[in-house]
Amino acid sequence: MATKSFHRTDRVSAQLRRDIGLIVHQAVREYGLPSVSVSDVEVTRDLAHAKVFVTALLAEQGPAAVKALKEIAPELRYRLGQAIRMRHVPEIHFHYDDSVDKGERIDQLLRDNPPSDATD
């Protein structure tokens, strides 16, 4: 018998990433929040909590955007409950994903300090 390559939490995470992404996009427009996008969602094994990682278009607006999303998280959870077919809707916890910022910083450092040729 072949083993499953994806666990239920992986499938739920992927679905939540799509649905929460749409809900956050709507919230950004409705509330005039800084522009953010959902980069990843991790759910606990019991599916009770979802860590939602967001990235901001402008890095300096990231903390303000996460703070605003945390304030409206209960409403976003309610909207999520209307969008998905799950018995229990996970509690949403927003976190800023700084991996894109770190990648841009590394890229900038590499552009500013190109490697010297090894043929001396």
Side-chain angles (χ1 to χ4, degrees):
M1 184 172 167
T3 59
K4 291 184 193 176
S5 61
F6 288 103
H7 296 286
R8 182 165 189 241
T9 56
D10 295 334
R11 292 191 310 270
V12 170
S13 291
Q15 184 62 45
L16 290 178
R17 183 173 42 248
R18 287 187 293 271
D19 292 338
I20 294 173
L22 292 172
I23 292 168
V24 166
H25 180 71
Q26 292 168 348
V28 164
R29 288 182 163 190
E30 284 178 31
Y31 293 98
L33 303 177
S35 183
V36 295
S37 62
V38 175
S39 59
D40 194 21
V41 175
E42 295 175 357
V43 294
T44 56
R45 288 186 67 172
D46 62 358
L47 305 177
H49 299 274
K51 265 187 175 179
V52 179
F53 295 93
V54 295
T55 57
L57 187 60
L58 301 172
E60 59 274 3
Q61 292 180 340
V66 170
K67 182 180 178 190
L69 288 170
K70 285 180 179 180
E71 289 174 3
I72 62 170
E75 180 185 338
L76 300 182
R77 182 181 183 204
Y78 175 76
R79 291 185 191 183
L80 180 62
Q82 294 176 323
I84 62 173
R85 301 181 82 188
M86 289 177 65
R87 183 171 293 168
H88 299 288
V89 179
E91 201 173 308
I92 301 173
H93 306 280
F94 288 99
H95 299 277
Y96 185 67
D97 182 2
D98 63 351
S99 62
V100 174
D101 300 337
K102 287 180 180 178
E104 288 177 0
R105 173 83 174 119
I106 291 170
D107 190 47
Q108 185 64 41
L109 287 171
L110 289 173
R111 271 190 261 122
D112 291 346
N113 303 306
S116 59
D117 288 339
T119 57
D120 287 322

